[in-house]
Each structure stands twice: as structure tokens, then as C-alpha cells.
């Protein structure tokens, strides 16, 4: 059972402490990066370390609680609207965009569970179910490719989440890859230009410069 999601009902004062800790965690991860000490988070929340550890056994559990809150706040309303929309394909793409915006805004939280992102399954179960519903509807409407499976969608989402590791936190560089995925899953490619190319962060550039253009002398040039 994922303790970051399934928690026993808390007293009002304990619930306020949990809220303060999660809010402080988002602030500290944003400002100091994924390696911020839990003691710094406790101090920012105005609680003692013992209070933090009484509610969260370790950093992973706190990170998952913070990510879960952000998904519920920023993605769940988009899912509700998408499920009520007659255009299933359009709804599905809006959900994917909401997921990517949340991932970008919380890049340092994701970085704190890098290498163990299977942990995210516990907070994305209902989201994946909704994507399955939208995929099936879109295929029935003829707007999404009939040969795409939920396994494909799961892997495509995992690929897109990986894009966050190649961009600055808070950037909208994910929009171009999402547009490419849309071109791949729709039965008809949308008539629109791709979003602008966003360069890789300087820290990502090693060896030959990556510019978005084929390298001279390569088989692609």
C-alpha cells in the first residue's frame, strides 16, 4: 500500500501539519533541488523533525504525497472535463498536456525519485484508467489510431515524463514532444506547425552541440 496516498484520517492539528509539510516540500524542492535535506523542509514548515518523520517515514513518501497533491489539484479537473467532452481525442491530449505541465512544474520532486519512478504508479492509477477510457472512446470515434494499446500509451507517457530531465524546471519545452506524440496517435495529423524548438540546457550539452539540426557529416545531413 502506498502510504503517500492511503492515509488514516488525521486530527485537525495533525492534518494542518501535514499540509504545511507538503507545502514546504514543494517550496524547498523548487528552491534547493532534489537533494534538499528533510530537516530543511521541516524548518520551512515550522515543525520539528520528529513531526515530519511521524507523518512521513522517508523522503520518498513525502515526495509522493506532494506529487499526489499536485496531480489531484492540476490534473484531476482536466480529466473530469475531458471525460465530459464529446471529443475524446482532444480531451486525451489536454490530459497529457496537464500531466506534462505538472511534471515540469514539479521537476525537482520527480528528480528526488529518479531511478525509482515505478513508485509513481501508486498515485497515477485512476489517471491511467481515465486515459484508457478516453483512448477507447477516441478509437470508437475514429480519431485515434485503432492499433494503439494501453501498453503503448503507458510507454509514451513514460517517454514524455523523461523529457522533463532534458529541460529547465518550469519550462514548456515539453510542448513540442507532445505535439509529435499527437501526430503519432491521431488518425489524421493536425494541420498546425510544431511548437517552437527549445534548446537543451547548457548542462545537457556535451560533445557535439545539439541544435535540433542534423550534424554535418552525419548520415542525416
Amino acid at each position: 500500500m502506498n502510504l503517500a496516498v492511503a492515509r488514516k484520517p488525521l486530527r485537525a492539528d495533525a492534518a494542518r501539519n501535514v499540509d504545511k509539510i507538503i507545502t514546504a516540500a514543494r517550496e524547498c524542492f523548487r528552491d534547493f533541488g532534489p537533494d534538499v535535506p528533510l530537516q530543511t523542509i521541516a524548518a520551512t514548515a515550522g515543525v520539528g523533525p520528529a513531526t515530519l518523520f511521524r507523518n512521513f517515514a522517508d523522503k520518498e513518501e513525502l515526495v509522493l504525497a506532494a506529487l499526489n497533491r499536485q496531480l489531484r489539484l492540476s490534473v484531476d479537473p482536466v480529466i473530469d472535463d475531458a471525460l465530459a467532452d464529446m471529443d475524446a481525442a482532444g480531451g486525451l491530449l489536454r490530459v497529457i498536456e496537464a500531466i506534462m505541465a505538472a511534471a515540469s512544474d514539479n521537476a525537482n520532486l520527480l528528480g528526488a525519485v529518479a531511478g525509482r519512478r515505478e513508485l509513481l504508479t501508486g498515485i497515477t492509477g485512476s489517471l491511467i484508467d481515465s486515459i484508457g477510457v478516453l483512448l477507447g472512446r477516441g478509437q470508437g470515434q475514429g480519431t485515434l489510431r485503432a492499433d494503439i494499446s494501453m501498453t503503448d500509451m503507458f510507454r509514451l507517457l513514460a517517454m514524455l515524463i523523461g523529457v522533463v530531465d532534458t529541460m529547465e524546471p518550469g519550462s514548456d519545452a515539453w510542448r513540442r514532444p507532445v505535439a509529435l506524440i499527437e501526430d503519432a496517435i491521431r488518425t489524421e495529423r493536425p494541420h498546425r506547425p510544431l511548437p517552437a524548438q527549445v534548446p537543451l540546457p547548457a548542462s545537457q550539452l556535451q560533445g557535439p552541440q545539439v541544435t535540433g539540426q542534423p550534424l554535418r557529416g552525419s548520415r542525416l545531413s
Side-chain angles (χ1 to χ4, degrees):
M1 180 178 293
N2 190 329
L3 296 179
V5 179
R7 306 176 65 90
K8 294 181 180 179
L10 299 172
R11 301 188 319 272
D13 58 337
R16 284 193 294 271
N17 282 336
V18 167
D19 182 73
K20 290 192 294 185
I21 292 167
I22 291 175
T23 299
R26 288 199 68 232
E27 177 183 336
C28 289
F29 278 106
R30 183 189 65 234
D31 293 345
F32 303 116
D35 296 322
V36 61
L38 290 177
Q39 289 81 356
T40 299
I41 296 173
T44 302
V47 302
T51 298
L52 187 151
F53 285 109
R54 186 161 56 247
N55 290 283
F56 301 99
D58 52 31
K59 181 181 284 189
E60 285 180 351
E61 188 174 317
L62 175 55
V63 166
L64 290 176
L67 286 170
N68 182 59
R69 172 186 286 184
Q70 291 311 113
L71 288 176
R72 304 289 77 81
L73 290 174
S74 61
V75 180
D76 280 6
V78 179
I79 291 175
D80 292 341
D81 289 343
L83 291 172
D85 194 337
M86 293 295 293
D87 178 8
L92 176 59
L93 266 296
R94 290 197 301 277
V95 170
I96 292 174
E97 289 173 349
I99 293 170
M100 291 306 298
S104 177
D105 289 343
N106 296 278
N108 284 335
L109 281 171
L110 286 172
V113 290
R116 297 200 63 194
R117 290 189 179 167
E118 74 279 0
L119 295 169
L120 299 177
T121 302
I123 63 174
T124 57
S126 61
L127 186 157
I128 295 298
D129 290 343
S130 298
I131 287 175
V133 171
L134 292 168
L135 175 63
R137 288 181 185 174
Q139 290 172 327
Q141 293 169 356
T143 54
L144 294 174
R145 289 176 51 157
D147 55 350
I148 296 175
S149 68
M150 270 307 295
T151 298
D152 294 324
M153 288 303 305
F154 192 88
R155 287 173 172 157
L156 288 172
L157 285 169
M159 289 166 55
L160 286 172
I161 294 297
V163 169
V164 174
D165 297 331
T166 70
M167 66 191 204
E168 298 289 352
S171 166
D172 66 351
W174 53 266
R175 292 190 179 279
R176 189 177 177 96
V178 167
L180 291 169
I181 293 298
E182 180 180 7
D183 288 352
I185 67 175
R186 281 190 179 270
T187 51
E188 295 184 8
R189 180 179 294 182
H191 296 290
R192 48 97 176 103
L194 288 174
Q197 181 83 266
V198 178
L200 291 171
S203 61
Q204 296 276 336
L205 298 176
Q206 296 181 0
Q209 186 175 6
V210 179
T211 63
Q213 300 295 326
L215 296 176
R216 290 186 178 180
S218 75
R219 281 188 277 179
L220 298 177
S221 59

